[in-house]
């Protein structure tokens, strides 16, 4: 049965077809209901699809690692988190390929001083598809959000990233930041980016920056001048983009596995 | 002009808000039926193709859904809109002395004849549904430049050119209000700048809607031929009524190879206006379109000038400022479609919201697969004056080739207390300090306008900032 997923908080022009995606939603998601008590800290790692509802009490911290290593399945994830005063949610999403991934992550920063950080890294090739909707809803005062996305597209892959920072009335002193960096390797890729800022509060600061396309020519020239072949320059930079996200994973075992022992040791 | 405006800075937009009694005007019944569309066609003495075009457009209008992604337009009831109002003059004039006194007085108060004498190469003035005045300087006409009302062009020697271009860039199937425009359009200007001609002084068309409950549907068609240059200015205003008025104009711009067109707009419709306007430009090889847009009026606006960069090396620049005050929901921005190699676009916008006003910046940048080595840069900044207001930024980038560089940055924030304090310590009141800061924030647009229009824009900001404190 077709279901509309990843509907953003704000719609835009219909002809761009980014106001949600209709998909055959399979029942392959791991379901989790998490309730973190006051000041509790927990790290949770899930692979493939997940449907997670989490409530974070005052001062609690939840670090959620969500990894996809590839595969031919269509995976639909839905993560919804509510943060009380001073609580923090960190979402680490790494997609190392996979036929089709649809990820929704919606975070309510309800309590004063609560925060949300999203780190999204991906590398897609062939006809792989990644469709993301990530929302930071600022309700409490002095709340913070940071949504960072970095990835590489090759072949005929497709990626749609919707990131929304939503400052609601009363969230004075809040700050939201979103960055996106996409490296495109082939002329047959398609990248869509929808970085939205919604603002109903005067005393806030929100910003967004995106860079989409090929590598900076000066950087390529610099590396080629040092004897590195053109194709390897792109391969090296593509790897660097994804590794930069992997290095931030709050799970040493997984980090070592994905980076390789040698590189992981360099970080220690 | 500035002397008069000193008066209106203390009152409620009376510079634009004066109204004339409707005398001897002729209008169709309110609503939208095939009979009304046919009646407009009769009134216009349309050629057969245009009559059919209108009726087909009406069918499309009836089939199309209302947009579901922007501000609410529930307050707009087409059954209550009068789609054609002919003012009390039988024809268009080329001398202000021949224009009926009340209409002439309207444009005098808006400063149009004065601007024509001092800083314009030609002027078109539309009152309700018809052009009442059109004139172009002899030296500009001597270059072969055609600047006339579109209906004269349709019935005259440029009829084939009009037919070839009319609603080809914005077809009635584009959206519901493009279809409405196709059905009931009336008035507007036609400009043709021949190959290599350069119009150094701007042309201006001014659109005034006086009739309560009426719609204005002017069509502007500009063709700038190879290597030619033009600056065209569009102004519009209306008095405020308690009933909804509608503006669903259409602007189609054809920019030829290595040609340059600057299209500037200072929009100051009254705050009962639904401004559902469509503007689009197609730019050929090496050509350049420059949009300069100031949106200050209207109750609701949907306005996204679009550039289709269809020739290699074509360029688009969009510079805009939107000021949403009490009772306004202004949804503005732009669209750029890169269809050819080495095309470039640059978008720089500012939006300001105060006293409960809602401002939305909405954009689309599409890089097609064939547009290799193209670049796009979008920068939008929003200023919130108070927490009763709202400011949203909804950009989309759709990149379909690896050989492109696309950048985007957006910022939302408030007026810095430090900056206000600094200016107040230099003797300005808080209101003056905030007004000065907002004017500076909107400088990206004012510096692109001819001086007279930059002054008008800054005056508008001062009007809007009245009462912004406390």
């Amino acid at each position: 049965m077709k279901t509309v997923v990843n509907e953003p908080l704000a719609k835009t022009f219909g002809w761009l077809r980014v106001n949600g995606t209709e998909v055959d939603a399979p029942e392959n998601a791991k379901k989790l209901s998490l309730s973190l008590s006051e000041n509790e800290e927990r790290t949770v790692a899930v692979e493939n699809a997940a449907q997670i509802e989490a409530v974070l009490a005052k001062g609690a911290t939840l670090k959620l690692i969500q990894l996809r290593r590839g595969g031919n399945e269509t995976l639909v994830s839905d993560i919804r988190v509510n943060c009380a005063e001073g609580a923090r949610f960190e979402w680490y999403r790494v997609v190392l390929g996979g036929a089709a991934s649809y990820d929704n992550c919606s975070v309510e920063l309800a309590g004063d001083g609560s925060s949300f950080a999203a780190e999204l890294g991906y590398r897609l090739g062939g006809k792989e598809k990644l469709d993301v909707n990530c929302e930071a809803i600022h309700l409490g005062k002095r709340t913070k959000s940071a949504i960072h996305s970095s990835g590489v597209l090759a072949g005929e892959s497709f990626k749609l990233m919707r990131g929304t920072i939503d400052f609601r009335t009363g969230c004075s002193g809040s700050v939201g930041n979103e960055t996106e960096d996409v490296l495109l390797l082939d002329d047959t890729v398609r990248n869509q980016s929808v970085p939205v800022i919604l603002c109903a509060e005067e005393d806030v600061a929100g910003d967004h920056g995106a860079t989409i396309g090929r590598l900076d020519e000066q950087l390529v020239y610099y590396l080629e001048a040092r004897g590195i072949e053109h194709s390897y320059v792109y391969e090296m930079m593509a790897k660097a983009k994804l590794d930069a996200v992997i290095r931030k994973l709050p799970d040493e075992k997984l980090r070592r596995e994905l980076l390789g022992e040698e590189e992981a040791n360099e970080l220690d | 002009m500035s002397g008069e405006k000193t008066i209106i800075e203390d009152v409620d937009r009376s510079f634009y808000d004066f109204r004339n009694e409707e005398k001897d005007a002729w209008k169709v019944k309110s609503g939208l039926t095939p009979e009304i569309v046919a009646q407009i066609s009769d009134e216009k003495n349309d050629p057969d193709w245009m009559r059919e075009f209108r009726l087909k457009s009406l069918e499309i209008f009836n089939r199309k859904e209302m947009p579901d992604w922007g501000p609410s337009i529930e307050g707009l009831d087409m059954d209550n809109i009068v789609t054609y109002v002919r003012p009390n003059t039988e024809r268009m004039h080329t001398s202000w002395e021949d224009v009926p006194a009340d209409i002439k007085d309207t444009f005098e108060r808006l400063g149009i004849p004065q601007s024509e004498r001092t800083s314009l190469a030609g002027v078109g003035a539309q009152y309700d549904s018809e052009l009442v005045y059109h004139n172009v300087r002899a030296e500009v006409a001597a270059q072969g430049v055609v600047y006339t009302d579109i209906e004269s062009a349709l019935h005259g020697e440029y009829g084939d050119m009009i037919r070839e271009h009319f609603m080809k860039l914005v077809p009635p199937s584009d959206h519901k209000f493009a279809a409405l425009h196709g059905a009931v359009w009336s008035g507007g200007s036609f400009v043709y700048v021949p190959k290599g001609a350069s119009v150094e002084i701007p042309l201006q068309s001014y659109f005034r809607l006086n009739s309560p409950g009426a719609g204005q549907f002017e069509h502007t068609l500009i063709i700038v031929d190879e290597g030619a240059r033009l600056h065209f200015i569009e102004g519009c205003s209306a008095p405020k009524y308690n009933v909804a008025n509608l503006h669903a104009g259409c602007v189609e711009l054809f920019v030829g190879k290595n040609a340059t067109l600057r299209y500037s707009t200072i929009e100051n419709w009254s705050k009962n206006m639904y401004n559902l306007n469509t503007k689009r430009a197609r730019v050929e090889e090496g050509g350049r379109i420059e949009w300069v847009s100031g949106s200050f009026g209207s109750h609701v606006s949907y306005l996204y000038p679009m550039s289709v960069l269809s020739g290699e090396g074509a360029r688009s620049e969009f510079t805009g400022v939107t000021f949403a005050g009490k009772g306004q929901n202004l949804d503005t921005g732009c669209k750029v479609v890169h269809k050819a190699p080495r095309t470039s676009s640059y978008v720089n916008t500012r939006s300001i919201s105060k006293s409960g006003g809602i401002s939305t910046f909405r954009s689309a940048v599409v890089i097609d697969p064939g547009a290799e080595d193209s670049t796009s840069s979008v920068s939008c900044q929003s200023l919130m004056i108070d927490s009763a207001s709202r400011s949203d930024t909804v950009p989309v980038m759709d990149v379909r080739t690896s050989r492109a560089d696309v950048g985007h940055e957006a910022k939302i924030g408030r007026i810095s207390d430090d900056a206000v304090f600094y200016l107040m310590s230099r003797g300005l009141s808080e209101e003056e300090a905030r007004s000065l800061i907002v004017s500076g924030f909107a400088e990206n647009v004012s510096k692109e306008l001819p001086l007279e229009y930059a002054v008008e824009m800054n005056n508008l900001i001062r009007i809007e900032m009245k009462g912004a404190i406390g």
Side-chain angles (χ1 to χ4, degrees):
Chain A
M1 193 181 75
K2 294 274 187 191
T3 311
V4 177
V5 299
N6 293 359
E7 286 183 275
L9 289 165
K11 287 183 176 180
T12 191
F13 310 118
W15 59 281
L16 294 165
R17 302 186 187 284
V18 297
N19 295 326
T21 306
E22 199 174 64
V23 64
D24 279 314
E27 294 284 329
N28 53 14
K30 181 175 184 177
K31 293 182 174 62
L32 281 176
S33 184
L34 304 171
S35 180
L36 272 66
S37 54
E38 193 169 324
N39 295 323
E40 181 183 353
E41 290 191 19
R42 201 187 301 182
T43 299
V44 175
V46 291
E47 294 227 4
N48 299 324
Q51 286 180 10
I52 298 174
E53 284 194 11
V55 177
L56 277 56
K58 184 177 177 182
T61 298
L62 173 64
K63 298 178 181 181
L64 174 66
I65 303 167
Q66 202 185 346
L67 173 66
R68 177 163 194 184
R69 298 172 191 263
N72 295 321
E73 290 176 288
T74 293
L75 301 178
V76 179
S77 294
D78 189 12
I79 296 158
R80 291 172 191 273
V81 180
N82 182 283
C83 296
E85 183 184 342
R88 178 172 176 79
F89 174 58
E90 296 176 11
W91 183 45
Y92 298 88
R93 178 61 168 137
V94 176
V95 180
L96 306 172
S101 307
Y102 300 89
D103 293 338
N104 185 69
C105 179
S106 181
V107 181
E108 285 186 344
L109 299 170
D112 293 352
S114 55
S115 61
F116 167 48
E119 290 286 350
L120 178 73
Y122 54 88
R123 178 165 188 166
L124 305 177
K127 295 191 174 185
E128 291 172 336
K129 185 173 186 178
L130 174 63
D131 182 316
V132 181
N133 185 52
C134 183
E135 300 165 351
I137 303 166
H138 293 256
L139 297 160
K141 297 184 193 311
R142 297 176 302 284
T143 50
K144 288 183 182 173
S145 67
I147 301 171
H148 301 310
S149 164
S150 181
V152 182
L153 299 180
E156 295 173 50
S157 59
F158 169 89
K159 186 234 67 181
L160 166 54
M161 172 72 194
R162 310 172 193 83
T164 300
I165 296 167
D166 186 4
F167 294 113
R168 301 278 173 95
T169 305
C171 73
S172 56
S174 294
V175 177
N177 166 257
E178 185 183 354
T179 61
E180 186 171 8
D181 183 5
V182 192
L183 178 59
L184 308 178
L185 295 184
D186 292 311
D187 279 343
T188 42
V189 299
R190 184 167 181 186
N191 175 80
Q192 289 185 317
S193 300
V194 191
V196 172
I197 303 177
L198 309 175
C199 184
E201 170 62 46
E202 176 206 9
D203 181 17
V204 295
D207 63 75
H208 167 264
T211 311
I212 301 157
R214 55 196 160 185
L215 284 177
D216 178 62
E217 281 180 10
Q218 286 188 340
L219 174 68
V220 175
Y221 177 78
Y222 176 83
L223 293 171
E224 284 182 336
R226 272 138 191 84
I228 301 171
E229 282 183 26
H230 187 81
S231 59
Y232 189 66
V233 169
Y234 269 80
E235 179 55 36
M236 189 171 74
M237 296 312 295
K239 185 174 184 317
K241 275 190 192 304
L242 195 58
D243 286 358
V245 177
I246 292 170
R247 285 193 184 101
K248 292 176 184 171
L249 296 180
D251 180 322
E252 190 184 343
K253 189 179 164 196
L254 190 59
R255 206 166 56 227
R256 285 182 177 278
E257 180 196 336
L258 296 175
L259 286 176
E261 286 294 327
E262 192 179 332
E263 282 188 45
N265 284 337
E266 284 174 11
L267 296 172
D268 293 339
Chain B
M1 201 167 174
S2 59
E4 287 177 273
K5 286 186 177 176
T6 311
I7 300 166
I8 50 99
E9 279 171 26
D10 301 331
V11 293
D12 53 349
R13 304 167 64 92
S14 64
F15 185 78
Y16 300 98
D17 245 351
F18 63 93
R19 59 184 78 165
N20 291 340
E21 187 188 340
E22 275 195 283
K23 57 179 184 184
D24 305 325
W26 182 86
K27 55 174 81 173
V28 297
K29 285 182 186 168
S30 60
L32 193 59
T33 64
E35 292 72 30
I36 288 172
V37 171
Q39 198 178 3
I40 294 171
S41 194
D42 289 341
E43 178 71 16
K44 299 277 170 194
N45 193 25
D46 278 341
D48 289 345
W49 72 266
M50 181 58 81
R51 187 185 182 86
E52 281 174 32
F53 185 91
R54 286 182 186 276
L55 291 167
K56 276 187 186 162
S57 297
L58 178 63
E59 287 173 18
I60 296 169
F61 173 82
N62 288 330
R63 282 202 306 271
K64 285 269 180 190
E65 298 290 324
M66 288 283 191
D68 65 349
W69 42 265
S72 169
I73 43 179
E74 283 181 2
L76 176 66
D77 183 352
M78 281 309 297
D79 289 340
N80 294 329
I81 294 290
V82 175
T83 52
Y84 179 78
V85 181
R86 188 182 68 217
N88 60 339
T89 178
E90 280 299 312
R91 60 187 176 84
M92 192 185 69
H93 305 279
T94 54
S95 163
W96 284 108
E97 297 309 313
D98 298 329
V99 175
D102 56 338
I103 298 176
K104 182 187 162 200
D105 180 57
T106 296
F107 288 106
E108 289 276 1
R109 292 176 73 170
L110 293 166
I112 306 303
Q114 297 92 316
S115 296
E116 182 182 10
R117 285 192 293 273
T118 57
S119 54
L120 296 169
V123 161
Q126 178 157 337
Y127 192 83
D128 290 332
S129 298
E130 294 290 355
L131 264 296
V132 294
Y133 174 85
H134 229 289
N135 201 11
V136 62
R137 283 191 190 182
E139 62 267 33
V140 176
Q143 285 185 280
V145 175
V146 178
Y147 179 39
T148 182
D149 66 299
I150 195 163
E151 286 159 31
S152 298
L154 177 65
H155 289 100
E157 61 179 306
Y158 297 97
D160 289 343
M161 194 183 271
I162 301 291
R163 187 171 184 178
E164 186 187 340
H165 293 89
F166 186 85
M167 294 201 82
K168 292 296 194 293
L169 271 183
V170 184
S173 56
D174 207 71
H175 58 82
K176 193 170 182 72
F177 292 94
L180 174 66
H181 178 89
V184 299
W185 75 274
S186 177
S189 295
F190 169 66
V191 184
Y192 173 71
V193 185
K195 195 172 173 178
S198 182
V199 185
E200 300 296 339
I201 309 173
L203 303 176
Q204 182 183 25
S205 283
Y206 198 96
F207 303 102
R208 176 73 177 178
L209 184 57
N210 182 68
S211 183
Q216 195 169 59
F217 307 96
E218 85 287 349
H219 194 95
T220 302
L221 175 58
I222 299 177
I223 300 168
V224 186
D225 215 331
E226 185 176 338
R229 297 177 66 87
L230 174 69
H231 183 185
F232 188 89
I233 299 173
E234 173 195 73
C236 37
S237 67
K240 187 174 181 185
Y241 293 106
N242 292 324
V243 294
N245 277 53
L246 169 63
H247 177 232
C250 180
V251 174
E252 294 184 290
L253 311 175
F254 294 85
V255 183
K257 186 177 175 182
N258 296 324
T260 298
L261 171 59
R262 173 170 284 208
Y263 194 93
S264 301
T265 306
I266 295 293
E267 181 270 299
N268 191 32
W269 293 115
S270 55
K271 292 184 179 177
N272 59 315
M273 180 68 84
Y274 286 81
N275 183 30
L276 312 175
N277 210 12
T278 309
K279 300 180 180 183
R280 197 162 295 170
R282 191 181 74 201
V283 189
E284 305 296 343
E285 182 184 341
R288 182 184 180 105
I289 177 72
E290 301 169 353
W291 302 96
V292 180
S293 180
S295 294
F296 298 92
S298 301
H299 171 51
V300 168
S301 263
Y302 280 68
L303 183 62
Y304 324 98
M306 179 174 185
S307 305
V308 181
L309 304 177
S310 58
E312 186 169 343
R315 288 180 290 173
S316 166
E317 279 188 24
F318 180 90
T319 307
V321 62
T322 296
F323 196 126
K326 187 179 180 183
Q328 292 183 281
N329 190 341
L330 306 185
D331 204 292
T332 61
C334 68
K335 306 174 197 170
V336 187
V337 179
H338 295 250
K339 295 183 82 68
R342 284 169 284 287
T343 49
S344 62
S345 61
Y346 176 67
V347 178
N348 182 10
T349 70
R350 305 280 193 275
S351 57
I352 301 150
S353 308
K354 87 164 191 64
S355 304
I358 302 171
S359 166
T360 301
F361 169 76
R362 197 182 298 273
S363 70
V365 172
V366 177
I367 313 272
D368 271 356
E372 62 265 20
D373 300 322
S374 292
T375 60
S376 175
S377 171
V378 178
S379 169
C380 55
Q381 294 184 33
S382 304
L383 194 58
M384 291 277 287
I385 306 294
D386 55 58
S387 281
S389 306
R390 182 170 186 94
S391 183
D392 296 339
T393 305
V394 189
V396 178
M397 286 152 278
D398 189 342
V399 183
R400 306 173 193 181
T401 177
S402 66
R403 294 166 63 187
D405 292 310
V406 178
H408 174 94
E409 60 174 14
K411 279 185 184 168
I412 284 183
R414 61 191 296 214
I415 292 177
S416 152
D417 289 338
D418 289 346
V420 174
F421 177 77
Y422 174 82
L423 290 170
M424 289 175 71
S425 73
R426 297 304 187 264
L428 272 66
S429 69
E430 185 176 352
E431 193 167 86
E432 287 167 339
R434 287 179 180 269
S435 182
L436 188 65
I437 291 165
V438 171
S439 290
F441 183 73
E443 196 196 359
N444 65 322
V445 167
S446 60
K447 76 180 182 188
E448 298 296 336
L449 289 167
L451 182 63
E452 298 80 1
Y453 298 91
V455 169
E456 178 176 347
M457 197 191 92
N458 285 332
N459 280 338
L460 280 167
I461 288 174
R462 277 200 285 277
I463 294 167
E464 295 290 353
M465 286 302 293
K466 274 284 177 191
I469 309 302

